[in-house]
Amino acid sequence: MKYDWILFDADETLFHFDAFKGMQLMFARKGVDFTEQDFHQYQQVNKPLWVDYQNGDISAEQLKHIRFTHWAEQLETTTTELNSAFLTAMADICTLLPGAQELLDGLKGKAKLGIITNGFTELQDVRLAKTGMTDYFEHIVISEQVGIAKPDAGIFAHAMERMGHPSKEKVLMVGDNPHSDILGGLNFGFETCWLNTHQHPCPEGINAHYEVASLYELQTILLA
């Protein structure tokens, strides 16, 4: 095995993250029919917030609050309550990506495994427990707890410290987001693997060490 450590992003790298389905479930539980049009309007607010969060311009708390302000007013509740209800719904519908279980089983005992995610704390532990993944990972590094989000070098440095400072070239960062996961990993000096499930064109100047269309493909590369 070439690597001592393999670090994974969480959403859309190990776990499906179907935000529309999660929102539908959350609102159905409140007796509200949440449409694709509603979701489109929500994403117009939500997506730029994630960019601001990754750029360090807003905090996790601000993101959670602003994205649900409109709905909190409509439903006469708080943004905190809605955020919590959303994360609960996301945990309830959570499933692993194809090949995730096989890949992690194959890697167990051959390399140490960790997660670095910009997702929220409230979702991570529940999801790992629900999918039976808790014992696979030595460290779960969550941007909300660290106070810094990928692609900032600070979150990778925090992970390195927790990992006991292994040699950077012995660490592989695997993720679906070319900016936060791949560019962040490359800038820090890690080797990287871009999980490009939907075959998007590669953004200019971001050259991952590997590009795979599935976790099965990554398994073949790592365990060859």
Side-chain angles (χ1 to χ4, degrees):
M1 166 65 68
K2 185 181 174 185
Y3 302 102
D4 293 338
W5 280 91
I6 298 168
L7 301 174
F8 293 91
D9 171 51
D11 297 335
E12 291 305 325
T13 300
L14 292 172
F15 302 103
H16 281 293
F17 194 86
D18 190 332
F20 179 47
K21 263 193 192 155
M23 298 284 273
Q24 279 191 312
L25 176 60
M26 166 179 89
F27 282 111
R29 287 169 172 171
K30 297 181 179 302
V32 176
D33 180 26
F34 187 79
T35 65
E36 283 196 30
Q37 181 59 36
D38 290 328
F39 185 64
H40 177 68
Q41 286 173 335
Y42 165 79
Q43 285 291 62
Q44 284 183 316
V45 174
N46 183 52
K47 277 188 167 176
L49 289 174
W50 280 97
V51 174
D52 290 344
Y53 178 52
Q54 285 168 8
N55 290 339
D57 297 331
I58 62 170
S59 69
E61 281 309 310
Q62 287 171 301
L63 191 161
K64 289 182 188 178
H65 171 66
I66 299 165
R67 69 177 177 173
F68 283 122
T69 303
H70 164 75
W71 281 101
E73 285 167 2
Q74 281 208 301
L75 297 173
E76 296 181 349
T77 183
T78 64
T79 55
T80 306
E81 193 278 325
L82 285 181
N83 207 75
S84 214
F86 173 58
L87 295 178
T88 300
M90 288 307 294
D92 289 342
I93 64 166
C94 167
T95 54
L96 288 167
L97 250 62
Q101 182 79 57
E102 293 86 341
L103 173 62
L104 297 175
D105 283 338
L107 291 173
K108 207 171 184 186
K110 295 187 179 71
K112 290 181 174 176
L113 307 177
I115 288 175
I116 303 185
T117 175
N118 283 354
F120 296 128
T121 309
E122 205 172 331
L123 183 55
Q124 308 310 327
D125 290 346
V126 183
R127 207 160 50 168
L128 286 165
K130 187 171 182 277
T131 53
M133 291 287 118
T134 309
D135 296 339
Y136 285 82
F137 299 99
E138 305 262 338
H139 299 294
I140 316 283
V141 176
I142 303 171
S143 62
E144 188 181 7
Q145 293 175 351
V146 183
I148 310 162
K150 295 177 294 184
D152 193 293
I155 194 166
F156 296 103
H158 177 87
M160 276 293 271
E161 200 167 300
R162 285 181 58 181
M163 288 150 61
H165 295 286
S167 149
K168 283 185 184 179
E169 61 270 19
K170 289 288 211 171
V171 180
L172 180 70
M173 177 71 213
V174 181
D176 69 301
N177 186 313
H179 298 281
S180 58
D181 300 320
I182 306 309
L183 192 58
L186 288 170
N187 287 345
F188 192 71
F190 288 159
E191 296 211 349
T192 59
C193 175
W194 183 26
L195 176 62
N196 186 10
T197 318
H198 304 293
Q199 300 298 287
H200 292 302
C202 183
E204 205 175 321
I206 302 179
N207 300 306
H209 293 76
Y210 311 93
E211 182 184 326
V212 296
S214 73
L215 293 173
Y216 293 112
E217 200 181 329
L218 178 57
Q219 185 175 357
T220 305
I221 292 167
L222 291 177
L223 299 171

